[in-house]
Amino acid sequence: MKFITDANLGKLAKWLRILGYDTVIYRGEADRNFLRNAAREERVVLTRKKDMAARQFSGTLITVGGDHVQEQLREVMEKLSISADVSRLFSICVRCNETLVTVDKEDVAGLVPAFVYDTQAVFRRCPGCKGIFWPGTHIDNALTHLKKHTQSHHP
Ligand SMILES: [Zn+2]
């Protein structure tokens, strides 16, 4: 499942990337071109514009109602029945939506803080921005955050 969001949903897009979903932010006006891009790349459309739902579109389109990113994320996850899959977390660069590549630990020596190098086992690099990520602590934080904000409505 891949997503395209309108420019108003940048934070939501970042969270979808954290969850491991290829998510493009459409920077232009959310118009016919937006939907054409979505259809061509078979992306689920996420938009704040309520009138978009009335447009002709053969794919999946979700009008996101919540004002806060936590509500928005919960809305999308519930509507599409997706849940946080730990194995997918941090597989995509949050900044540029590129698929991260696992690199050998030795290759990042000197490129990450010493305490990180000493405590983390898995490192990934983004082919786009060349950023180096170590999922360990991020995954714990993300899961805590997700649990707090996406499962609160489930008794
Ligand atoms: Zn990147």
Side-chain angles (χ1 to χ4, degrees):
M1 201 182 297
K2 298 187 290 184
F3 296 95
I4 187 166
T5 77
D6 69 33
N8 297 318
L9 292 170
K11 278 188 189 161
L12 176 62
K14 283 188 178 162
W15 267 98
L16 288 167
R17 287 174 185 166
I18 289 172
L19 290 174
Y21 292 100
D22 177 341
T23 305
V24 166
I25 305 168
Y26 188 75
R27 296 291 176 189
E29 188 67 33
D31 56 7
R32 205 179 295 154
N33 242 338
F34 175 53
L35 294 182
R36 212 176 283 150
N37 276 18
R40 192 177 50 230
E41 298 180 4
E42 297 180 334
R43 294 178 182 276
V44 174
V45 173
L46 303 176
T47 180
R48 292 282 284 164
K49 286 180 75 180
K50 296 197 169 54
D51 61 343
M52 293 292 280
R55 307 252 189 141
Q56 204 171 17
F57 180 63
S58 54
T60 307
L61 184 147
I62 294 177
T63 313
V64 180
D67 287 325
H68 299 287
V69 65
Q70 292 91 347
E71 295 168 49
Q72 296 170 349
L73 187 63
R74 184 165 60 219
E75 229 178 302
V76 171
M77 289 173 80
E78 279 178 4
K79 280 185 180 156
L80 296 171
S81 303
I82 55 178
S83 54
D85 175 354
V86 181
S87 66
R88 293 178 63 114
L89 284 177
F90 293 96
S91 54
I92 284 184
C93 181
V94 173
R95 276 177 283 195
C96 31
N97 198 42
E98 297 275 348
T99 302
L100 299 178
V101 181
T102 303
V103 288
D104 288 334
K105 185 168 174 168
E106 297 77 53
D107 291 346
V108 301
L111 299 175
V112 298
F115 74 92
V116 170
Y117 189 81
D118 290 343
T119 53
Q120 300 297 317
V122 177
F123 293 90
R124 292 177 185 151
R125 192 198 308 263
C126 170
C129 65
K130 310 291 179 207
I132 295 166
F133 299 86
W134 47 96
T137 48
H138 294 299
I139 285 187
D140 291 343
N141 291 341
L143 285 177
T144 307
H145 189 87
L146 285 167
K147 273 196 191 113
K148 203 157 70 192
H149 295 293
T150 61
Q151 294 176 357
S152 51
H153 281 200
H154 301 287

